[in-house]
């Protein structure tokens, strides 16, 4: 029963099922435990593409074997990242830019941010540096899940506001990087 619910959460969020986010039972008592499990599983799976990336960077820059972080640090930073992302999404989506129908507590936002990370389980396929491009696909899928989830949970009427909330940190980082490269004329070789 519990395993079937867990698998159901994965498949329905991977399919971007809007009914899943509308169903209040999916955000009930046990949902926080499923959310914690998703974060834990995805953090452990993230070790696989991280190792492939470190191998690629070590060989590309001639650094040799690059030691990755310990499992404790990977899990710890995943949980801290989950909480920080939830605080950002909740403050911006519920407190700063709510719609007239937005009625969401922090716990529901915490569960939402964990549930939309289900596409990141596909990072298990990235075991070699030749598959590193799949990180982009899973990350785009994660962002699409986050946009759909924010739009439904916060009761927004259009997708623009939820897209802006989900993608603003990436856009700001991109602008910052471009402005630094444009101003410093740094060459990468």
């Amino acid at each position: 029963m519990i395993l079937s619910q867990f698998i159901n959460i994965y498949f329905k969020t991977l399919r971007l099922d809007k009914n899943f986010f509308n169903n209040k039972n999916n955000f009930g008592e046990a949902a926080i435990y499923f959310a914690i499990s998703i974060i834990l599983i995805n953090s452990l799976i993230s070790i696989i593409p991280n190792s492939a990336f470190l191998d690629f960077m070590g060989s590309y820059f001639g650094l040799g074997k690059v030691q990755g972080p310990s499992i404790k640090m990977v899990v710890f930073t995943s949980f801290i990242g989950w909480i920080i992302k939830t605080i950002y999404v909740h403050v911006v989506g519920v407190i700063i830019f709510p719609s007239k129908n937005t009625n969401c507590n922090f716990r529901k936002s915490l569960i939402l941010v964990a549930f939309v990370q289900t596409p990141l389980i596909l990072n298990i396929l990235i075991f070699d540096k030749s598959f590193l491009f799949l990180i982009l696909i899973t990350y785009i899928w994660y962002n699409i899940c986050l946009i759909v989830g924010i739009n439904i949970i916060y009761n927004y009427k259009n997708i623009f506001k939820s897209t802006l909330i989900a993608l603003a940190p990436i856009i700001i980082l991109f602008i910052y990087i471009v402005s630094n490269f444009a101003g410093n004329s740094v060459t990468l070789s």
Side-chain angles (χ1 to χ4, degrees):
M1 176 77 173
I2 292 175
L3 184 60
S4 66
Q5 280 182 307
F6 193 67
I7 292 170
N8 186 36
I9 290 169
Y10 265 97
F11 282 119
K12 289 205 174 184
T13 53
L14 285 174
R15 289 186 308 168
L16 301 172
D17 188 355
K18 292 180 181 181
N19 295 326
F20 174 79
F21 294 110
N22 282 328
N23 189 349
K24 293 185 191 285
N25 294 333
N26 293 327
F27 294 89
E29 291 295 321
I32 193 70
Y33 301 111
F34 289 127
I36 290 169
S37 300
I38 289 169
I39 297 298
L40 181 63
I41 290 169
N42 284 348
S43 67
L44 294 175
I45 286 175
S46 73
I47 294 171
I48 299 168
N50 290 347
S51 297
F53 180 73
L54 290 175
D55 287 344
F56 170 73
M57 295 304 280
S59 65
Y60 186 78
F61 290 109
L63 301 173
K65 180 76 174 151
V66 178
Q67 182 66 31
S70 67
I71 292 176
K72 288 190 289 188
M73 285 308 297
V74 169
V75 172
F76 178 73
T77 55
S78 293
F79 278 102
I80 295 298
W82 172 43
I83 291 169
I84 290 171
K85 182 76 171 189
T86 303
I87 291 170
Y88 162 75
V89 167
H90 187 77
V91 167
V92 173
V94 175
I95 297 171
I96 297 176
F97 300 115
S99 74
K100 293 178 183 177
N101 301 325
T102 301
N103 185 16
C104 184
N105 58 19
F106 185 76
R107 182 182 177 277
K108 197 169 185 180
S109 296
L110 197 64
I111 294 167
L112 169 71
V113 171
F115 281 180
V116 299
Q117 289 189 14
T118 55
L120 300 178
I121 197 170
L122 298 175
N123 283 343
I124 199 166
L125 302 172
I126 307 167
F127 54 87
D128 188 40
K129 62 184 177 185
S130 61
F131 297 118
L132 282 175
F133 69 92
L134 291 175
I135 290 176
L136 288 175
I137 294 169
T138 59
Y139 190 70
I140 290 169
W141 198 348
Y142 155 72
N143 281 310
I144 292 170
C145 286
L146 185 60
I147 291 167
V148 170
I150 289 172
N151 200 47
I152 293 171
I153 297 297
Y154 296 165
N155 293 319
Y156 291 150
K157 298 295 181 206
N158 62 12
I159 201 89
F160 179 74
K161 192 185 286 188
S162 55
T163 303
L164 199 58
I165 291 169
L167 298 181
I170 300 167
I171 294 168
I172 292 169
L173 178 66
F174 181 74
I175 290 170
Y176 175 74
I177 291 172
V178 169
S179 68
N180 275 344
F181 278 127
N184 294 334
S185 67
V186 175
T187 58
L188 296 176
S189 56

